[in-house]
Amino acid sequence: LPSARHRGSPGEPRPLFALLSARGPPPAPCWPIECEVIKETIEHIGEGPRQPSPLRPCTGPPPCPQCPSPTGHEWPPATLGEEQGTVVYHLNPAPQGSCFTRARVGGAPGPLSSPAAPLEGPQDTTLLFESRFESGNLQKAVKVGPYEYVLTLRPDLYTAKHTQWFYFRVQNTRRDPLYRFTIANLAKPKSLYGEGMRPLLYSQRDAQSRGVGWRRVGADVRYYRGSEEEPATFCLSWTVRFPHDGDTCFFAHSYPYTYSDLQRYLQALAGDPVCSQYCAVRALCRSLAGNTIYLLTITSPASTAAKRAVVLSARAHPGESGGSWAMRGFLDFLLSAHPDARLLRRLFVFKVVPMLNPDGVVVGNSRCSLAGRDPNRAYGTALRGSFPGVWHLRAMVERVLAEQEVVLYCDFHGHSRKNNIFMYGCDGSRAGTVPRLRQRIFPLMLSKNAPDKFSFPSCKFKVQKSKAGTGRVVMWHMGVSNSYTMEVAFGGSTLGGRSSHFTVEDLKSLGYHLCDTLLDFCDPHPAKFQQCLSEVDVLLRQRLGREPGFSWSDVSPSELES
């Protein structure tokens, strides 16, 4: 790995470029110069229904999600094609092959264009679409029936691919009609929408009058192959009735968590005289667009010399917003007055990067930064100028490792094809028995602490060539033995008698369970560790059909993975 030790100290937390004051709004995000941005501030109340919404597979004609075909392609609904409709919303995308040049607060200068078709009068029932706000993504809407629309998502900026995240506004709603929406250019051949996941809806009127936030909606939800041409595209289709006439509503793939949401949260921390005693908010670096990438250092004020470190990060992939809610829950607990939180702060130094790719989050990308590439494949060869967040995070970890042990590295992500929460770790096939199995103990403990959310059987530990540039693999090679990617399903849980979507509270509770598991894992009394080590040993020997006494170093990662 390229060394960062002799290039000054880029991993050292730097003073904030724009100090987060408790007074006034946080700094506005910077956008690429090509992006138009509406002036309205979009904010949502965070809480939805307390009761999780059930996962409901479609019951349409076969093949359907309850009995999926081997290809995972479902029966398409009877809907008209885009060419037979009227374009009612269209944003001009960034030219293909272009690259990021510069950014400014508020995006493109000058007056805004009018991508939405104007209404012809009060009797016109056409929906008014909008996505030119923070984290928004919708490129085109075509009306193909009185209450039916075919939608196209914008690929990640400066790429021609990665269409998954959507988040857009609709106005001029009618309460009684049944609407159908079909997103026609999704990239992945398999999705949790085929296993009962449903889109999210937010009604502004319900939020204001009843305090109801995001909720799962949609009937006749289908996920199927759209075009036979290559590269293949896939469609998500659902029907819905809006709760009110004349409402302002939003649809989203997952609970949005924007860069401004993070800044408001950090601003509250900066203004809290208690939290500020053990939580330092600094700027790790600036992104390509000039947005601050924040680094939180959390520990008790006592000397840090003998403390071990824990490093956490989230939102390398901007469309995986569940990772931010899990991170929010982690910070809420760690910064609380709970006795376990105090103990954690006394035992460890926490280095937390809550949003590694703010530019991608701001513009509504699914996977990439403004470099047009996946930052979670760039840790091994990261260029400081192209991936500043990744470069500075790795340099910071390198500095910490030179002074103290990093007991845990965990990068929070989202998963679109498997339900539940699980981890990817790193199997050290050259190590002895205990080190070889040790990577499995933290996930096993977490599954015991969150049995209705976390699936140990879904965890994987093989280091594949295609993952060599990920954060967990590079940190592992740098010397962090317990290095993980935490995968949080976009859908929900099928464990512990559940078959329901994750709520915001579910996602935030993961942060608490991570703290609880860290205390179990590092308990000076070895009983819990030894019990889990024995369980892993017995479990793997049973699955492999091996007798006691053989050497784990003779077993390949592929055998263990199978």
Side-chain angles (χ1 to χ4, degrees):
L1 297 176
S3 173
R5 284 202 185 98
H6 305 297
R7 304 172 190 166
S9 53
E12 185 69 28
R14 298 158 68 187
L16 283 180
F17 298 102
L19 182 65
L20 282 169
S21 167
R23 296 187 299 273
C30 296
W31 294 70
I33 200 72
E34 303 95 331
C35 295
E36 289 190 346
V37 186
I38 61 174
K39 304 304 179 188
E40 300 167 62
T41 300
I42 306 295
E43 286 188 55
H44 305 298
I45 60 173
E47 302 302 325
R50 290 284 178 169
Q51 280 298 108
S53 171
L55 295 166
R56 292 176 180 166
C58 170
T59 55
C64 78
Q66 284 183 312
C67 44
S69 63
T71 61
H73 305 157
E74 314 305 346
W75 175 76
T79 185
L80 294 173
E82 178 184 312
E83 65 281 353
Q84 297 168 276
T86 303
V87 176
V88 296
Y89 181 79
H90 193 194
L91 285 179
N92 292 321
Q96 199 162 351
S98 63
C99 61
F100 172 73
T101 55
R102 60 193 180 99
R104 66 187 294 272
V105 172
L112 296 175
S113 63
S114 300
L119 298 179
E120 295 180 357
Q123 78 288 348
D124 191 342
T125 61
T126 301
L127 291 176
L128 297 173
F129 291 83
E130 182 60 85
S131 64
R132 295 172 296 173
F133 49 83
E134 199 174 340
S135 293
N137 190 316
L138 178 70
Q139 184 168 304
K140 185 164 70 169
V142 179
K143 187 176 182 179
V144 296
Y147 303 102
E148 189 170 343
Y149 297 85
V150 175
L151 311 177
T152 302
L153 303 184
R154 175 187 52 73
D156 283 2
L157 276 184
Y158 316 118
T159 80
K161 52 186 179 179
H162 305 303
T163 46
Q164 176 174 273
W165 170 258
F166 61 87
Y167 175 30
F168 57 89
R169 185 180 77 185
V170 291
Q171 293 176 308
N172 198 37
T173 62
R174 299 295 189 272
R175 178 180 177 180
D176 293 328
L178 183 68
Y179 290 80
R180 177 175 287 281
F181 298 93
T182 301
I183 298 174
N185 69 327
L186 293 164
K188 296 191 175 183
K190 186 182 177 186
S191 169
L192 288 173
Y193 286 111
E195 298 181 25
M197 178 175 158
R198 294 185 292 158
L200 283 160
L201 172 77
Y202 185 95
S203 160
Q204 202 156 285
R205 186 172 296 182
D206 281 347
Q208 293 168 350
S209 63
R210 300 194 294 127
V212 175
W214 290 99
R215 58 188 188 253
R216 299 285 175 175
V217 298
D220 197 21
V221 179
R222 303 182 185 278
Y223 194 89
Y224 57 94
R225 180 163 180 160
S227 169
E228 293 301 320
E229 299 175 2
E230 296 295 338
T233 57
F234 299 86
C235 300
L236 166 65
S237 185
W238 73 94
T239 60
V240 67
R241 281 189 168 88
F242 290 108
H244 304 286
D245 290 328
D247 199 0
T248 294
C249 293
F250 296 81
F251 286 104
H253 178 53
S254 181
Y255 302 102
Y257 193 97
T258 66
Y259 181 59
S260 291
D261 289 332
L262 172 67
Q263 292 205 113
R264 282 188 286 269
Y265 181 75
L266 297 182
Q267 185 178 44
L269 293 184
D272 186 321
V274 176
C275 283
S276 58
Q277 293 178 28
Y278 44 78
C279 176
V281 181
R282 297 288 183 267
L284 178 67
C285 62
R286 280 196 178 190
S287 68
L288 289 181
N291 293 306
T292 301
I293 299 176
Y294 293 99
L295 170 68
L296 281 62
T297 301
I298 303 169
T299 192
S300 60
S303 171
T304 62
K307 293 183 180 181
R308 292 183 288 178
V310 174
V311 180
L312 302 179
S313 59
R315 296 301 283 280
H317 293 156
E320 297 169 4
S321 58
S324 279
W325 287 109
M327 180 65 80
R328 173 76 169 264
F330 170 82
L331 292 172
D332 283 348
F333 181 78
L334 184 62
L335 296 170
S336 73
H338 192 284
D340 284 352
R342 290 175 177 169
L343 178 59
L344 285 164
R345 296 194 299 265
R346 194 162 68 245
L347 292 176
F348 302 103
V349 178
F350 292 87
K351 298 286 188 179
V352 181
V353 182
M355 192 169 284
L356 197 58
N357 183 3
D359 295 348
V361 173
V362 167
V363 302
N365 278 1
S366 290
R367 198 167 183 88
C368 296
S369 70
L370 295 186
R373 290 165 55 198
D374 181 350
N376 198 36
R377 297 295 183 272
Y379 280 83
T381 57
L383 301 174
R384 183 177 182 177
S386 298
F387 300 99
V390 165
W391 194 91
H392 283 89
L393 173 59
R394 193 189 67 193
M396 183 268 291
V397 173
E398 195 176 36
R399 277 178 40 84
V400 172
L401 282 168
E403 300 170 0
Q404 59 202 127
E405 178 190 357
V406 176
V407 69
L408 177 74
Y409 166 82
C410 188
D411 189 22
F412 292 21
H413 283 260
H415 208 282
S416 64
R417 299 186 302 279
K418 287 166 63 176
N419 274 314
N420 306 311
I421 300 166
F422 49 95
M423 281 178 153
Y424 293 142
C426 300
D427 183 352
S429 58
R430 298 176 301 279
T433 301
V434 173
R436 181 80 187 276
L437 300 183
R438 187 186 179 101
Q439 287 85 7
R440 291 165 169 78
I441 294 176
F442 190 90
L444 179 61
M445 287 181 166
L446 186 50
S447 73
K448 293 175 180 293
N449 288 330
D452 65 335
K453 302 178 186 69
F454 191 94
S455 170
F456 181 69
S458 296
C459 297
K460 294 182 179 296
F461 301 89
K462 184 179 179 182
V463 179
Q464 299 169 303
K465 274 189 177 180
S466 62
K467 310 292 186 180
T470 61
R472 70 173 166 98
V473 174
V474 171
M475 299 300 178
W476 178 62
H477 281 305
M478 287 170 59
V480 182
S481 298
N482 302 292
S483 184
Y484 302 101
T485 301
M486 175 88 78
E487 295 284 354
V488 182
F490 285 110
S493 171
T494 59
L495 304 171
R498 288 184 58 164
S499 182
S500 56
H501 291 88
F502 286 134
T503 64
V504 168
E505 284 305 309
D506 282 327
L507 299 174
K508 290 167 74 174
S509 73
L510 177 61
Y512 158 73
H513 292 305
L514 190 74
C515 290
D516 195 27
T517 304
L518 183 59
L519 286 175
D520 289 338
F521 186 71
C522 297
D523 192 330
H525 193 280
K528 291 178 182 177
F529 184 93
Q530 291 300 330
Q531 177 191 339
C532 289
L533 182 63
S534 298
E535 283 187 39
V536 170
D537 181 65
V538 171
L539 176 66
L540 293 179
R541 277 197 287 105
Q542 287 175 345
R543 291 187 176 180
L544 289 168
R546 302 294 180 98
E547 295 297 325
F550 79 100
S551 172
W552 280 108
S553 59
D554 296 333
V555 181
S556 71
S558 297
E559 282 185 275
L560 282 179
E561 203 66 20
S562 64

